[in-house]
Amino acid sequence: MSQPIANTPSLQAVTESIIFPPGDIYSDEPPLESDLHREQIDLLIRLIKWWWRDRQDFYATGNLTIYFSPNQKKSEEFRGPDFFVVLDTEKKDRKSWVVWQEDGKYPNVIIELLSNSTASVDKGLKKQIYQNTFRTPDYFWFDPNNLEFQGFHLVDGQYQDLVPTESGWLWSQQLGLYLAVSLGKLRFFTPDRQLVMLPEEESNQQLEQANQQLEQANQELEQERQRAAILAERLRAAGIDPEQIF
């Protein structure tokens, strides 16, 4: 007589518990190279989150592990991108990006910050992974020290160099923004070439504009006072008391 099979685990349960690691995995990234690298990553994250503050369909982060293989947590030779953006996904905090828990989504945009110890990997192995495995449409690298900046767009499965504008700007089709180096930092610019600013930069700009308008108003008022004084002097010279006119 056959034994009951009520307690036999389903194929789905076996697959989820044995083959696939859990989705709630902490990031496993080494310390950043320098303050320049940390500041640049923080800047990019803050900028894109502020620019898209009314959107709920993206995830932007930096120095976070991407787990992309269901048979092992990650490639031993691979570390997470310095900055990446995933589109058409839920905007929420995560411990890491686990591809098999995110509907198979990979980053739409990746930016790597070069250093002496990572440049060869960023330009070689990582570029190959982003092209062949991630299929990330837009890939950029930037060196915070010597300001080397280059970008690529995926065309027919191969990365093609992005052609810079006359000012050295590169267009990100995925972000709908330009990337360019400004005052030693990699920044975003709108299609009409306006700097994407942080909230405090916007506030400072508004304050500066208000001060300029106030200064202009004061100058115009002073000019009116000078004209009034000249007119009053002419009236007195003609024997007319300016106080009696009004």
Side-chain angles (χ1 to χ4, degrees):
M1 183 175 181
S2 60
Q3 297 296 318
I5 59 173
N7 294 327
T8 302
S10 66
L11 177 59
Q12 179 180 358
V14 172
T15 300
E16 292 178 350
S17 62
I18 296 179
I19 298 180
F20 289 88
D24 193 26
I25 309 173
Y26 279 97
S27 178
D28 181 24
E29 295 304 304
L32 295 174
E33 293 284 334
S34 68
D35 286 342
L36 281 177
H37 290 75
R38 174 180 52 79
E39 291 168 1
Q40 178 65 77
I41 292 173
D42 289 344
L43 176 62
L44 292 171
I45 294 172
R46 291 189 63 207
L47 284 170
I48 202 65
K49 285 185 174 181
W50 179 246
W51 179 246
W52 284 346
R53 56 191 175 275
D54 296 325
R55 292 180 55 168
Q56 300 298 321
D57 62 345
F58 76 97
Y59 178 65
T61 191
N63 197 40
L64 197 81
T65 302
I66 295 177
Y67 296 107
F68 60 94
S69 172
N71 297 313
Q72 61 185 48
K73 285 187 176 181
K74 61 182 176 62
S75 166
E76 294 180 355
E77 298 178 306
F78 177 78
R79 292 291 183 178
D82 289 320
F83 171 83
F84 67 90
V85 177
V86 184
L87 303 177
D88 300 318
T89 191
E90 185 179 358
K91 185 180 180 181
K92 65 178 183 180
D93 292 336
R94 293 169 170 86
K95 297 176 182 177
S96 61
W97 184 264
V98 184
V99 170
W100 59 88
Q101 294 289 337
E102 301 285 356
D103 298 324
K105 290 183 179 296
Y106 287 90
N108 293 74
V109 178
I110 289 176
I111 301 175
E112 290 288 3
L113 302 182
L114 305 181
S115 67
N116 291 336
S117 62
T118 67
S120 61
V121 175
D122 293 334
K123 296 180 178 181
L125 175 65
K126 281 193 172 184
K127 183 182 178 185
Q128 182 179 1
I129 291 175
Y130 299 155
Q131 172 185 275
N132 299 334
T133 302
F134 286 21
R135 300 292 186 184
T136 294
D138 290 345
Y139 174 44
F140 302 86
W141 65 55
F142 172 65
D143 191 323
N145 292 298
N146 62 25
L147 307 185
E148 177 185 346
F149 177 44
Q150 192 167 353
F152 308 88
H153 183 70
L154 198 66
V155 179
D156 296 329
Q158 299 291 319
Y159 275 139
Q160 303 295 325
D161 289 8
L162 287 171
V163 179
T165 67
E166 292 181 358
S167 301
W169 296 16
L170 297 179
W171 175 252
S172 171
Q173 182 268 338
Q174 295 292 299
L175 297 180
L177 295 169
Y178 284 104
L179 283 81
V181 181
S182 175
L183 300 177
K185 298 290 186 182
L186 187 62
R187 300 290 300 254
F188 299 118
F189 291 80
T190 65
D192 58 353
R193 311 296 180 91
Q194 298 299 309
L195 177 69
V196 174
M197 293 184 287
L198 296 170
E200 60 267 29
E201 290 176 327
E202 291 183 359
S203 298
N204 290 337
Q205 184 186 63
Q206 292 170 359
L207 180 60
E208 183 178 349
Q209 290 174 345
N211 289 335
Q212 290 175 350
Q213 291 172 354
L214 179 60
E215 182 179 355
Q216 181 178 357
N218 288 334
Q219 290 175 352
E220 292 174 353
L221 180 60
E222 180 61 27
Q223 290 172 356
E224 289 298 325
R225 288 173 178 168
Q226 291 176 2
R227 283 195 288 267
I230 293 172
L231 177 59
E233 184 64 27
R234 290 177 177 175
L235 288 172
R236 292 190 186 96
I240 302 173
D241 185 356
E243 300 294 334
Q244 301 300 318
I245 295 179
F246 301 100

